[in-house]
Amino acid sequence: MFPWCRRKKKDLDVLEMPSIPNPFPELCCSPFTSVLSAGLFPKANSRKKQVIKVYSEDETSRALEVPSDITARDVCQLLILKNHYIDDHSWTLFEHLPHIGVERTIEDHELVIEVLSHWGMEEENKLYFRKNYAKYEFFKNPMYFFPEHMVSFATETNGEISPSQILQMFISSSTYPEIHGFLHAKEQGKKSWKKIYFLLRRSGLYFSTKGTSKEPRHLQFFSEFGNSDVYVSVAGKKNHGAPTSYGFCFKPNKAGGPRDLKMLCAEEELSRTCWVTAIRLLKHGMQLYQNYMHPYQGRSGCSSQSVSPMRSISENSLVAMDFSGQKSRVIENPTEALSVAVEEGLAWRKKGCLRLGIHGSPTASSQSSATNMAIHRSQPWFHHRISRDEAQRLIVQQGLVDGVFLVRDSQSNPKTFVLSMSHGQKIKHFQIIPVEDDGAMFHTLDDGHTRFTDLIQLVEFYQLNKGVLPCKLKHYCARIAL
């Protein structure tokens, strides 16, 4: 028999074997179709995803897989939900550039992936997630952000212009205000700084070549903010030899080093805040107001359409109440309200004395006193052994809003504590002194007139009552972990 006959018989034997079901039918196809079906590929209109890393103040981090069109507000909302934080609209995403010592608030509407695309490959830049109580404070209290001596108008105005009207002009008016004043500018390619008169207009930032003259022939263009962002210096004196600690700069929206920066420095925090706020308003305009009024609008699916917003408790919503009678009533007389507040403080003190050591024995009393003196260490507003400068840095980071505070150990007196708080764009420090009465230890801010068995009682009291402080305690500074 010929060989080809043998092969044919073998082939026939193979064909006669029972067929085995194919476990991958989708891979079987005719020569005229694609090997893999279209269903195995992602849809053309699906959003690409990217992994980002977000840091907290204690340098713990969390990796998130996010879509390419996710906004800064969406990232904050995602972290709030994952970590079960309370959303008070102050959570913010920061862009931190350590190699040049600057950072900025990423606006809620900005695309995070677009921000990351401007970073260089070798730069160790970071995204930080923390609170910023001053992010939209200029909408609530514009009088703290636009000092009268720094604001002027290109056209004549009838009568005085209030800070609220100035804010309205920044957002939607054609009659825009001008911010002017002296700033220290770092000369390009040099280490020296020069004090120059600057003028901020809608078209950009200019400086005068002749004193404080605003004539067009004396004004030179310094920087625009359409294709650049304004950053705040966090290490200006150390990295750039700045004359003060209130530096800020313009950085183009591209990867670059210190040579691309246009460094400026103000004489005080109030001045820097005014310049940076005005630049943000001129750059983003009405979008900032929409972010403030509608904080839950986002592009990606991470925006909390299904999450009801938290109702914030303002200072005006807290009133003195009298529950002694059959019906409760609001105490409208300020003198009566003050006496009720003092009585409440005394009641807390008595309650605190009985909270621990109820057996009345000397041992129980001493244990109670020791526990009361240390019970504050677990509170988020207490920062153990941090310096005065570190306390000020933390408060500035989280916003110079009235009532932002923290409590820390005193460095000058180991037995006392210090309450550091913000008021009127300034940081003030109040010493908390321990006093002893009948063998029991108390804390006081007013030389013993109002006493508290522990720091928790003290903080709770001044959150409801102004007392000897310039304002009530509102927002605590805390280092959160992701």
Side-chain angles (χ1 to χ4, degrees), residues 269 422 468:
E269 182 62 47
S422 171
V468 295

Side-chain angles (χ1 to χ4, degrees), residues 61-102:
S61 64
R62 188 156 190 165
L64 301 172
E65 187 180 25
V66 298
S68 57
D69 62 346
I70 193 168
T71 64
R73 176 60 196 170
D74 291 334
V75 172
C76 290
Q77 188 65 26
L78 196 60
L79 291 168
I80 290 167
L81 295 175
K82 284 182 177 292
N83 293 279
H84 308 290
Y85 297 141
I86 296 176
D87 188 6
D88 56 0
H89 305 168
S90 63
W91 293 103
T92 308
L93 208 60
F94 286 84
E95 180 188 8
H96 183 72
L97 312 180
H99 63 292
I100 51 180
V102 297

Side-chain angles (χ1 to χ4, degrees), residues 73 77 80-81 84-91 131 140 292-293 295-296 304 306-314:
R73 176 60 196 170
Q77 188 65 26
I80 290 167
L81 295 175
H84 308 290
Y85 297 141
I86 296 176
D87 188 6
D88 56 0
H89 305 168
S90 63
W91 293 103
K131 291 199 169 189
K140 305 173 188 176
Y292 167 64
M293 294 299 295
Y296 290 99
S304 59
S306 59
V307 180
S308 60
M310 297 288 296
R311 179 176 294 180
S312 60
I313 301 176
S314 66

Side-chain angles (χ1 to χ4, degrees), residues 208-220:
S208 177
T209 58
K210 186 178 181 180
T212 59
S213 173
K214 296 182 182 180
E215 293 185 26
R217 59 195 179 97
H218 295 147
L219 294 180
Q220 285 194 15

